[in-house]
Amino acid sequence: MNTVRTWGVFLTAITTAAAGCATWEEVPPEVGAQVEAVTTATWAPETALATPAMGVLRMRVATNDAGDAAVVWDERLSVSLNRVWAAVFTGGRWSAPYALSDGVTNGASGGVTVSPSGAVTVFWMTNGAPWSADCTGGAWGAAQRVPTDALYTNIVGAAVDRNGNIEVVAGYPRTAATYPAYDLESLVRAPTGAWSAPVRFSTASGVAPKFVMNRNGQAVVKTGMVLYRSSALGVWSAPQTIALAGQIYSTDVAIDAGGRGYFVARSRYGGANLSTSTPTSAWTAPRRVTKFDVLGSTLMVAASSADHAVIFGQDYTTGM
């Protein structure tokens, strides 16, 4: 499978890749990362897709096992107005950017999927409603309203399984202290285009939601320190709250091909912590995996094949 990395609005696709694995090993603290998967790859030259004058606010990227890819981003037009764009990578090259929103009503990208067949589906919000559009064989179809329940207008994320079923998680934005919080629901679109009824699965509003799913349709959602697991499309377990002392600076979540979930959290005085779970087990108590700078660090986690994951961190004092 090709890997795509993005910066600004420049995209690069890997042309070859080979992967191995190693045990957890702490790297020098100035780097601020822990590595389990060791990967070597050859990157193709970058392709400049666009150069927006006022920059980009969000970017989402997706690939399939055949190496097709797609990216969606929000071009900033003014302080309060964004236009949503997408581009598709197939046959060894990127398509021209395609405008999904009109630039008159504010747009905000929510997710992108690439099915095993190469069909691309992009999700975004505009004019207070969630929308999607499909690109098949290089041709974009008309925008379609995503049939979420009323008020569930924010697309948290979207993913596709190996059979072409797309699951979407949508959020109902509330207010909790100074941070936006969300109630959550999910719905599934079959390869025929038919949508399931929305399933509301959150029991309390949570902050900074993120949705991840593997090719088998197993998924995890995190909202702050609360985690939800799904063993099958649209079927969600009761939430589990991860207890960790101290002020929490950052959290992230990932799921590998075998269904193991990984949750990382950065505690002010407790460093970087890791909790894991399987489709049939509860989340483990968090364990500290490294001590990052006490002033705060950004954490991210990514997973690949069964029982393989990598944690990234940044030390704000050094920028490493």
Side-chain angles (χ1 to χ4, degrees):
M1 180 177 70
N2 287 356
T3 301
V4 177
R5 64 179 180 180
T6 66
W7 59 96
V9 285
F10 296 92
L11 288 301
T12 300
I14 279 186
T15 53
T16 59
C21 62
T23 57
W24 290 102
E25 178 180 347
E26 187 167 357
V27 298
E30 65 272 11
V31 175
Q34 275 192 311
V35 178
E36 184 182 30
V38 181
T39 303
T40 60
T42 301
W43 289 92
E46 65 268 17
T47 299
L49 294 179
T51 54
M54 297 188 67
V56 174
L57 293 183
R58 283 168 290 269
M59 299 189 73
R60 310 274 185 131
V61 66
T63 64
N64 66 8
D65 292 341
D68 303 310
V71 63
V72 58
W73 69 91
D74 300 354
E75 176 193 9
R76 187 173 184 179
L77 301 177
S78 68
V79 174
S80 58
L81 186 62
N82 305 316
R83 179 188 285 122
V84 181
W85 295 83
V88 176
F89 180 86
T90 186
R93 63 180 184 177
W94 287 97
S95 68
Y98 179 80
L100 294 162
S101 64
D102 56 20
V104 177
T105 53
N106 188 48
S109 57
V112 58
T113 65
V114 184
S115 73
S117 67
V120 171
T121 303
V122 178
F123 298 88
W124 73 97
M125 183 181 72
T126 187
N127 203 25
W131 296 84
S132 70
D134 299 317
C135 180
T136 305
W140 286 93
Q144 303 288 330
R145 174 71 161 80
V146 181
T148 59
D149 286 327
L151 303 179
Y152 285 77
T153 58
N154 289 50
I155 300 295
V156 173
V160 63
D161 70 9
R162 66 178 72 258
N163 297 314
N165 299 293
I166 298 174
E167 184 161 13
V168 173
V169 171
Y172 165 31
R174 294 178 179 267
T175 301
T178 57
Y179 298 96
Y182 299 86
D183 296 337
L184 302 173
E185 68 178 21
S186 73
L187 56 168
V188 178
R189 196 185 81 172
T192 60
W195 286 96
S196 69
V199 175
R200 300 183 185 180
F201 62 87
S202 64
T203 58
S205 298
V207 300
K210 183 176 180 179
F211 165 63
V212 291
M213 187 178 84
N214 63 17
R215 296 285 196 259
N216 299 318
Q218 301 163 316
V220 176
V221 165
K222 67 97 178 169
T223 57
M225 300 293 286
V226 181
L227 298 169
Y228 302 84
R229 281 208 63 122
S230 173
S231 58
L233 292 168
V235 180
W236 294 90
S237 63
Q240 181 177 341
T241 300
I242 304 298
L244 187 62
Q247 184 176 1
I248 305 301
Y249 282 100
S250 58
T251 61
D252 198 19
V253 68
I255 189 168
D256 67 27
R260 184 178 297 276
Y262 304 84
F263 173 75
V264 292
R266 168 66 173 83
S267 170
R268 180 171 186 177
Y269 297 113
N273 293 262
L274 171 70
S275 174
T276 64
S277 74
T278 69
T280 58
S281 69
W283 292 90
T284 61
R287 64 182 179 92
R288 192 173 73 183
V289 290
T290 188
K291 178 68 174 180
F292 283 52
D293 169 67
V294 296
L295 296 179
S297 299
T298 297
L299 283 182
M300 294 179 291
V301 61
S304 55
S305 57
D307 299 325
H308 293 121
V310 57
I311 299 173
F312 305 88
Q314 182 182 19
D315 185 331
Y316 283 161
T317 62
T318 63
M320 301 293 290

